[in-house]
Amino acid sequence: MKDERISFYVSKQNEGLGKTIQKDLILLDTPYFMTLDSDDWVEPETLELLLDEMEY
């Protein structure tokens, strides 16, 4: 399933978290973003709950 609202990119070299987030901010065209590492886990409803809280 492809969701056009979600995008990702892969860095060819390990540049560290700070450099990666700087690149994210340049590429983004949205008021919200979330970063996840390969060992992170979020429940399926996590993003919906966060958005509901921000818009409340």
Side-chain angles (χ1 to χ4, degrees):
M1 177 171 81
K2 183 161 174 76
D3 188 330
E4 297 297 323
R5 299 170 296 170
I6 300 171
S7 62
F8 70 96
Y9 71 93
V10 177
S11 176
K12 294 188 184 217
Q13 52 183 235
N14 186 358
E15 297 177 320
L17 182 60
K19 191 79 155 177
T20 301
I21 290 176
Q22 285 177 350
K23 286 183 179 180
D24 290 343
L25 293 173
I26 291 168
L27 295 171
L28 290 176
D29 185 26
T30 181
Y32 310 113
F33 79 100
M34 179 176 189
T35 61
L36 297 171
D37 291 325
S38 61
D39 62 346
D40 289 343
W41 173 262
V42 295
E43 294 295 329
E45 66 276 358
T46 299
L47 295 175
E48 182 178 5
L49 292 171
L50 289 171
L51 185 58
D52 287 345
E53 287 297 317
M54 288 187 285
E55 292 180 344
Y56 181 63

